[in-house]
Amino acid sequence: MNTNPAVWGPDGAEFKPARWLTPGGVPSLSELPSGWSGITTFCDGPRNCIGYRLAIFEFKVILATLVRSLEFHETTAQVVRKISPTLQPVVDGRGGLLPLHVTLAQ
């Protein structure tokens, strides 16, 4: 299901992270498969993977370990707060962006 051409288009099997950055690159929520976070890697419903919580926890541990080895620095961008359904940063009139300079920790 995660590479189904009926859902993702003819290039569904290709690894294309840009499809999440391009407007219209990802099908609408009603067209996406259900499951955890809109993906069916762990299946859904009564036959979902019994180890999915462990896999998600492991991912969070790996992510936390990686983040500790990074340093985050400010940029010169002017960030404006905007209240829409949620509070979000707006930079140069574009919402949902938060410029950040990332380097490896010393």
Side-chain angles (χ1 to χ4, degrees):
M1 181 59 81
N2 288 330
T3 59
N4 186 346
V7 176
W8 300 102
D11 60 350
E14 293 179 42
F15 177 68
K16 292 176 63 177
R19 78 174 82 226
W20 277 266
L21 302 174
T22 307
V26 176
S28 68
L29 290 176
S30 63
E31 297 174 293
L32 283 174
S34 57
W36 183 81
S37 194
I39 56 174
T40 57
T41 301
F42 302 112
C43 285
D44 196 21
R47 293 197 172 111
N48 69 339
C49 174
I50 62 172
Y52 87 94
R53 286 192 173 105
L54 176 62
I56 293 168
F57 177 72
E58 288 174 336
F59 175 74
K60 289 178 180 180
V61 168
I62 291 168
L63 184 62
T65 303
L66 289 174
V67 166
R68 288 190 313 192
S69 65
L70 302 173
E71 291 181 353
F72 301 94
H73 309 279
E74 290 186 43
T75 64
T76 58
Q78 293 288 24
V79 179
V80 179
R81 291 180 289 176
K82 178 183 177 189
I83 296 177
S84 57
T86 60
L87 181 64
Q88 64 175 316
V90 176
V91 178
D92 295 329
R94 295 172 45 201
L97 299 176
L98 188 58
L100 196 59
H101 181 71
V102 181
T103 60
L104 288 174
Q106 300 274 331

